[in-house]
Amino acid sequence: MPAANLLGTADRGFLHLMENLPQERLSIAIGAVAAIETVLAQTLEYVTSRTAFGKPVGSFQNSRFVLAELATEATIARTFVDECIRQLDAGTLTAVDAAKAKWWCSDLQNRTADRCLQLHGGYGYMNEYPVSKAWRDARVQSIYGGTNEIMKEIIGRSMGL
């Protein structure tokens, strides 16, 4: 390979990759929060228009409880990710906080998509409903950028464990 094609410093490719992992992991967390908010909004629209037993699905206590939990968790995730973005901009985002954001938000994306799919009932599996794609797409989030188990290892080690 010609020297002109070299990015970074020779023989330090892995180190260069490691330097950008916090930003990559934060970008995964940002995408997860966006997906969470989107599937939640779509589900809210669905449960207010879909009826069962002559009432909107969203009027049932279980539906309200599930949506209240998901909305609260989405707000918490958005707040933490916004703080991580501020830290990234300030040059203070740590690998540990990026790992926390990636793990928590991608895990929440999976749980949110799963619970929203449940609120759609059998329709949730049909490709015509966006929740079906959201549910399928959520699964990979806990794998790329480092698995969530690796994120927990990073966090655990930072605690002296």
Side-chain angles (χ1 to χ4, degrees), residues 49-97:
S49 63
R50 175 76 172 143
T51 60
F53 306 108
K55 295 166 49 173
V57 172
S59 70
F60 297 119
Q61 186 180 47
N62 180 67
S63 298
R64 288 193 313 268
F65 282 9
V66 168
L67 291 166
E69 291 169 8
L70 295 176
T72 302
E73 291 173 329
T75 299
I76 292 166
R78 164 67 70 177
T79 301
F80 183 56
V81 165
D82 286 350
E83 175 57 26
C84 288
I85 292 169
R86 281 189 281 282
Q87 291 174 13
L88 178 67
D89 287 345
T92 61
L93 179 66
T94 66
V96 172
D97 281 346

Side-chain angles (χ1 to χ4, degrees), residues 4-69:
N5 292 349
L6 180 65
L7 297 175
T9 308
D11 299 321
R12 301 193 44 92
F14 183 72
L15 292 175
H16 291 308
L17 175 68
M18 296 297 291
E19 291 169 357
N20 291 317
L21 277 176
Q23 184 173 346
E24 176 188 5
R25 290 173 177 156
L26 180 57
S27 70
I28 293 167
I30 292 167
V33 169
I36 290 164
E37 292 172 347
T38 300
V39 75
L40 190 54
Q42 292 167 340
T43 300
L44 187 58
E45 182 179 323
Y46 175 80
V47 299
T48 56
S49 63
R50 175 76 172 143
T51 60
F53 306 108
K55 295 166 49 173
V57 172
S59 70
F60 297 119
Q61 186 180 47
N62 180 67
S63 298
R64 288 193 313 268
F65 282 9
V66 168
L67 291 166
E69 291 169 8

Side-chain angles (χ1 to χ4, degrees), residues 41 57 66 68 70 75-76 139 143 149 153 157 161:
V57 172
V66 168
L70 295 176
T75 299
I76 292 166
R139 185 59 185 96
I143 298 170
E149 292 77 15
E153 183 67 20
R157 286 183 182 180
L161 303 173

